[in-house]
Amino acid sequence: MDPFHLDIPQQDLDELHHRLANTRWPGELPGVGWDYGVSQTSLAELVDYWQHGFDWRAQEARLNAHPQFTTTVDGQRLHFLHVRSPEPDATPLIMTHGWPSTVADFLDVLGPLTDPRAHGGDPKDAFHVVAPSVPGFAFSGPTGDRGWNTRRTARAWAELMRRLGYERYGAQGGDFGSIVSPELGRVAPEAVLGVHVNAVANAGVPTAPGDLERLSEEDRKRAKENETWWYAHSGYATQMATRPQTLAYALNDSPAGQLAWNLEWFVDWDPATTNQTPVSRDAILTNVTIFWLTGTAGSAARLYLEAARDGWGVRLAPSGVPTAVANFRGDHALRGLAELSNTVTRWSEYDTGGHFASLQAPDVLVDDIRAFFRAR
C-alpha cells in the first residue's frame, strides 16, 4: 500500500486552458436548445467557466484532505480513499462510483459516514470507508489488459478489503457501482454483510423472456416506458459498449468534447426541463478534469464493452446477501426486476436528488445507508 498525494504539474493545467481557449465550435441549428444533444450555448458557458473560474487546486486540496493510497491487484494499479472512522467499532464499507464519475463524488458524504458524532448523528452508525477508483478510471487507469469487467472488479475489491484487514464489510454503489456491489456479494458472500445501491443500472427494463410477466400491471407499464426512454438516451452506451477505442481519440484530444460527452448524463439531457436536482458545475468539472489530466476517458469507456461481453443485462441469481435499493428522483429501477437478481430487504423511494445521489442529495443518501446497515 503506497500513500498517494495528488499534485498536478502547472504545465498540465496551462495546456488544458490553452486547448479550451482554442476550441473549434461546430455550430448548431438556431433555437433547437438540447433537442439534438448538448446545447452549444450551454457548453460554451461551461467551457468559459472551466478556463477562467474553476479552481482545480481547491478540488485537489479537497481530495488530498483524505488519506489516499495505491496498490496493485491482479496486475492493475488501484487507487483508493481509505477514511477510517474515529469510532473503533465502525462498520467497514466499500463504495463504488459509476460513469462518468470518480471518487470525488463521495467527498460530501465521507464526513457524515465516518464521523456521525461530528455531524449530528449517532456514533453507532459510523463507517470506515474505502472508496476505490474503478479500474480504468482516473488514478486507477488506464487498464493494461482486457477483461476488466464488473465481475473482475468485484474480485479486486474483495482482495483489496482482505489486504486492508476487513473480514466483514458492507458494499455500496451507484450506476456501475450498483452492478459491482451486488457482484461483490456473489464473489465474497461470506464477507459482505449487506449491499446498498442507488441509481440501479440493470433493473429498469426487461432483459430476459418472462421478465414482464413477473411484474404487476403498473410496473409492466413503467417497464415499457423505461424501454422507450432508454432507446432515446442510450446512444452513448451503445458506442462505448461496441467501439470505445474509436471514441477515445476524440475524448482524449478535446477537453470541450470530453466535457460535452460527460455533460449529457450529468444534466439529464435538458437542464431546462429535468426533474432532478442539478449537479453543481464544480462537481461536473472536477470529474471531467480528473479524466482529462489522467488521460483515462477512453480507458473508462472500455468498461462498457467489457461489461457487455461479460453478459451485461443477463439476470444473475441472487447472492442471498441482504440488499437495499434507494430510488431517487428520475431513477428507473423497478423492485420486481431488481428482486430477480437481488435479495431485496429494503426499498426506498425519494422525490429528491437524482442519478448522482451523493452529489444531489448527500444527506438523504447517508441517512438511507445508515438505516440499512443499522439492522445488519
Side-chain angles (χ1 to χ4, degrees):
M1 302 289 178
D2 298 315
F4 178 88
H5 181 83
L6 186 56
D7 186 13
I8 298 298
Q10 184 59 43
Q11 65 188 36
D12 291 358
L13 300 178
D14 293 342
E15 195 254 354
L16 167 60
H17 292 157
H18 173 76
R19 285 176 176 262
L20 291 172
N22 289 278
T23 299
R24 292 181 62 203
W25 296 103
E28 62 182 347
L29 294 174
V32 299
W34 289 70
D35 286 349
Y36 285 67
V38 172
S39 157
Q40 180 169 309
T41 300
S42 299
L43 184 64
E45 292 174 355
L46 192 53
V47 164
D48 181 73
Y49 176 71
W50 195 3
Q51 183 183 358
H52 299 293
F54 176 67
D55 186 350
W56 164 254
R57 294 300 185 194
Q59 302 305 318
E60 190 177 67
R62 290 185 72 212
L63 281 163
N64 284 333
H66 303 287
Q68 300 173 74
F69 303 87
T70 61
T71 191
T72 299
V73 176
D74 195 9
Q76 178 64 37
R77 184 178 90 148
L78 295 183
H79 161 268
F80 61 98
L81 301 175
H82 187 197
V83 187
R84 289 187 59 83
S85 172
E87 307 296 337
D89 295 328
T91 300
L93 179 69
I94 183 165
M95 302 185 72
T96 308
H97 64 81
W99 183 92
S101 295
T102 69
V103 293
D105 280 15
F106 297 136
L107 293 180
D108 288 338
V109 301
L110 289 176
L113 287 174
T114 59
D115 193 3
R117 188 192 303 267
H119 292 81
D122 188 337
K124 294 180 181 179
D125 290 329
F127 297 91
H128 300 306
V129 175
V130 178
S133 297
V134 171
F137 286 62
F139 312 110
S140 287
T143 44
D145 62 348
R146 296 171 179 256
W148 275 103
N149 50 45
T150 54
R151 190 192 314 259
R152 187 174 177 185
T153 298
R155 291 198 300 265
W157 278 194
E159 172 61 16
L160 175 61
M161 295 301 274
R162 186 194 68 80
R163 292 185 190 181
L164 292 173
Y166 295 131
E167 296 180 356
R168 290 278 287 168
Y169 49 86
Q172 199 284 326
D175 190 78
F176 256 109
S178 75
I179 302 176
V180 173
S181 298
E183 189 62 29
L184 182 54
R186 296 185 182 93
V187 168
E190 74 291 342
V192 180
L193 57 90
V195 172
H196 182 285
V197 291
N198 65 285
V200 178
N202 58 355
V205 298
T207 60
D211 275 1
L212 284 177
E213 286 70 22
R214 295 182 172 94
L215 302 179
S216 66
E217 182 177 350
E218 177 62 26
D219 277 357
R220 282 199 296 272
K221 178 182 177 182
R222 290 177 61 191
K224 292 177 180 178
E225 291 173 349
N226 289 347
E227 281 189 304
T228 301
W229 178 89
W230 180 239
Y231 178 79
H233 296 92
S234 61
Y236 80 101
T238 301
Q239 176 67 31
M240 293 196 292
T242 55
R243 311 298 289 174
Q245 186 64 28
T246 304
L247 175 67
Y249 301 109
L251 298 184
N252 206 56
D253 192 59
S254 169
Q258 184 180 307
L259 175 58
W261 187 255
N262 291 15
L263 187 61
E264 270 199 351
W265 193 259
F266 273 116
V267 300
D268 198 24
W269 301 283
D270 188 345
T273 61
T274 179
N275 65 349
Q276 296 190 20
T277 303
V279 178
S280 76
R281 58 184 182 176
D282 277 0
I284 293 170
L285 290 175
T286 296
N287 279 311
V288 77
T289 303
I290 290 173
F291 280 120
W292 177 261
L293 294 172
T294 56
T296 55
S299 177
R302 288 199 289 265
L303 175 59
Y304 280 77
L305 181 144
E306 302 291 2
R309 289 182 174 175
D310 191 47
W312 181 19
V314 174
R315 298 285 178 214
L316 300 175
S319 66
V321 175
T323 300
V325 177
N327 236 18
F328 287 84
R329 181 184 294 170
D331 284 339
H332 297 272
L334 299 174
R335 182 164 187 166
L337 294 180
E339 288 179 334
L340 297 177
S341 299
N342 302 277
T343 305
V344 178
T345 60
R346 176 183 171 89
W347 186 277
S348 305
E349 299 274 352
Y350 295 106
D351 189 28
T352 186
H355 188 80
F356 301 90
S358 62
L359 297 173
Q360 296 165 303
D363 293 345
V364 180
L365 178 64
V366 167
D367 286 345
D368 201 84
I369 293 171
R370 288 173 176 171
F372 172 64
F373 284 103
R374 192 177 297 142
R376 300 279 62 81

